Amino acid sequence: MGRKSQSKQTTKKNSGKENNKFLQQKRRELALLVDKVLRLTSIFQASGTVSKSWEHHLEIDSIIREVINLEAPQYRNSQGTRQANIDKYIKWLQDHEVQFDGVQISEFEGYDLGLKATKTFTEGSLILTVPAKVMMTEKDAQDSDLADFIAVDPLLQNMPNITLALFLLLEKNNSDSFWKPYIDTLPEKYSTILYFTSEELAELRPSPVFESSLKLYRNIARQYAYFYNKIHSLDIPILKKLQDIFTYDSYRWAVSTVMTRQNNIQLANNDVTAFIPLWDMCNHEHGKITTDFNKEQNRGECYALRDFKEGEQIFIFYGSRPNSDLFLHNGFVYPNNKHDSLSLTLGISTSDALRETKLSLLTKLGLAGVTHFSLYQGQNPISAELLAFIRIFNMNQEELTKWSGQGLPGDLVSSDDASAAAVGAGIDRRAYTYLLTRCRLLHAAYKKDSTNNELESLHRKNIKLLKESEIQILDGAMKYLTEAISKLSVAENEQK
């Protein structure tokens, strides 16, 4: 018996050593991969072509997938489904004086969870109030054990959203967290581009959001690698806790939570980044901002942006944001978005003989360093900055000399009748013709998608909706430009 017992103990010891060696080997492999990610995401210059950006992304993504595979066994989500935790969440809200009489958490087709009215709310009536004490803020992070890390890290000192992401990750893995009932009802994953496959990202082309998505993915990959190295090298007590829970997958979850749910509120006369429980379950609809922070009551208040009948979903307005922003940072697209816009990349070629004169005139208007200009949804699609650029871009030497001699050429950024007359029909006709050609070329690059929408993933549905909204903007702009050019041609002929 004694020998058998000794044999078992020896086996256990050997097993422990082998397991430890295995973990050490995995950590070494992971450290090498993290260094590759950090190097790749740090050396890349954003001035590269789209094709180079894509090649670079594929390199980074390939390593990130290896990282995820290595880290997978380290982190298991025991949160369960959101719906299973709702009862505890509601009790927690009630216990901490969140007022939401007539409001119920419900599932809605196409929205996952949202808030449903269980009674009628008239426009402007108070729907819910959320005391500051239940909000999770960057100040809570600064007052926590994370403070020692914040004190020595410049990134955390300047980016409260990242601070909040790390704090959320710590609280998610703290069984005694005050916010546990709130955290347990958060989504387990998101529809942000951080969860897109490379195949899905590739389908974004030719949308301008394609490059923005690659940049966001690259930034988060770099942040992950940066913090991984910090967490495993600095001798700060709280980082020991993070070592066991900080993975790429957990970090993208925390970052996505912040991107989709963060709000700026004023606490003690300071702008603070915060999560606002319950209120952040409201989905977006066009309207007006009807939420505010009541300093006297020290609480957030949400008022009805319109009449809501019993059984209806309660919506709030997220602000005047284009679909590119909603897609990138919230993971959805809002059809027929009145505040939508399309970003055009334009610049003065280095081979342009009039380049310096044009740049000098753009400098007077504060536009010399601007490379992205907006086309808007609606009747007036050309932004003031874009109008000024296309006018200056299409001027000849004589016209440039004339406008350069003025103090501040304000007429160049205005499309009203007086400014248009000052600029002249000749310049505007050339400018609008140039922009129309650019719009047609971009429009032609969008391929018609014949895929059955019902069979598509949520990611692909959002991509399709985004592209449709961009084509709609281009259609509107081309119609506007065609009509404007026709009128300008008539005006020129009358002047002859």
Side-chain angles (χ1 to χ4, degrees), residues 187-449:
E188 294 181 21
K189 60 170 56 177
Y190 292 88
S191 51
T192 63
I193 63 98
L194 299 179
Y195 288 87
F196 279 35
T197 64
S198 289
E199 290 77 14
E200 288 170 334
L201 280 176
E203 291 180 23
L204 273 169
R205 289 180 287 198
S207 168
V209 179
F210 175 67
E211 283 193 82
S212 301
S213 297
L214 300 188
K215 183 179 179 181
L216 177 59
Y217 186 99
R218 186 169 67 246
N219 285 343
I220 300 308
R222 182 167 63 247
Q223 288 172 20
Y224 158 77
Y226 169 86
F227 283 121
Y228 181 94
N229 283 338
K230 292 277 186 175
I231 288 166
H232 288 272
S233 62
L234 295 181
D235 186 19
I236 298 175
I238 193 63
L239 299 188
K240 302 300 179 186
K241 289 185 179 180
L242 275 172
Q243 284 179 7
D244 296 328
I245 60 176
F246 185 83
T247 64
Y248 176 79
D249 194 46
S250 67
Y251 185 62
R252 73 171 167 179
W253 174 84
V255 167
S256 294
T257 303
V258 173
M259 285 197 301
T260 58
R261 280 173 151 72
Q262 69 177 339
N263 290 278
N264 289 320
I265 59 171
Q266 271 217 333
L267 289 178
N269 296 320
N270 292 317
D271 283 333
V272 174
T273 302
F275 293 130
I276 305 178
L278 193 62
W279 179 86
D280 64 7
M281 279 190 166
C282 291
N283 290 306
H284 170 74
E285 182 181 84
H286 271 317
K288 55 188 176 183
I289 298 291
T290 55
T291 57
D292 199 6
F293 188 82
N294 187 323
K295 290 183 180 179
E296 292 181 4
Q297 298 283 342
N298 199 31
R299 69 186 190 185
E301 297 176 341
C302 179
Y303 297 86
L305 64 80
R306 60 173 173 82
D307 291 345
F308 291 106
K309 297 177 182 178
E310 182 180 346
E312 269 194 287
Q313 182 176 181
I314 295 169
F315 293 95
I316 61 172
F317 178 53
Y318 287 10
S320 304
R321 298 166 59 191
N323 277 328
S324 56
D325 187 33
L326 294 173
F327 175 86
L328 272 176
H329 301 112
N330 291 80
F332 74 89
V333 175
Y334 191 79
N336 301 313
N337 185 348
K338 296 176 184 176
H339 306 284
D340 208 4
S341 63
L342 179 71
S343 177
L344 297 180
T345 303
L346 302 172
I348 310 292
S349 171
T350 53
S351 61
D352 190 331
L354 302 175
R355 173 182 167 82
E356 295 306 317
T357 312
K358 290 177 180 178
L359 286 176
S360 177
L361 192 48
L362 286 169
T363 300
K364 284 188 175 184
L365 295 169
L367 299 174
V370 178
T371 56
H372 292 80
F373 300 88
S374 294
L375 272 180
Y376 295 126
Q377 174 73 280
Q379 295 182 338
N380 298 300
I382 305 176
S383 66
E385 295 82 5
L386 175 57
L387 180 59
F389 177 86
I390 60 174
R391 281 170 166 171
I392 292 170
F393 183 85
N394 288 279
M395 286 181 184
N396 58 34
Q397 180 66 71
E398 182 182 348
E399 291 161 343
L400 285 168
T401 300
K402 171 192 169 184
W403 284 97
S404 296
Q406 298 186 19
L408 182 65
D411 284 327
L412 293 179
V413 297
S414 175
S415 59
D416 64 34
D417 292 342
S419 294
V423 172
I427 292 176
D428 273 352
R429 181 181 53 76
R430 278 178 270 139
Y432 289 172
T433 301
Y434 160 77
L435 184 57
L436 178 60
T437 301
R438 292 299 298 257
C439 287
R440 283 173 173 166
L441 288 171
L442 184 54
H443 190 280
Y446 284 82
K447 296 178 182 178
K448 189 172 182 179
D449 191 343

Side-chain angles (χ1 to χ4, degrees), residues 71-105:
E71 291 179 328
Q74 296 179 29
Y75 182 78
R76 280 185 167 75
N77 191 340
S78 58
Q79 169 183 328
T81 62
R82 300 176 72 190
Q83 289 83 350
N85 296 309
I86 286 176
D87 288 344
K88 290 180 181 178
Y89 181 43
I90 290 172
K91 186 178 185 308
W92 178 77
L93 292 168
Q94 291 170 336
D95 289 346
H96 294 92
E97 301 174 312
V98 177
Q99 297 174 19
F100 53 103
D101 180 48
V103 175
Q104 178 181 304
I105 298 171

Side-chain angles (χ1 to χ4, degrees), residues 457-473:
S457 67
L458 176 59
H459 295 169
R460 286 190 162 93
K461 285 180 181 178
N462 283 337
I463 290 170
K464 190 173 182 179
L465 284 172
L466 178 70
K467 285 183 171 182
E468 286 173 354
S469 72
E470 291 173 344
I471 290 171
Q472 193 176 51
I473 292 170

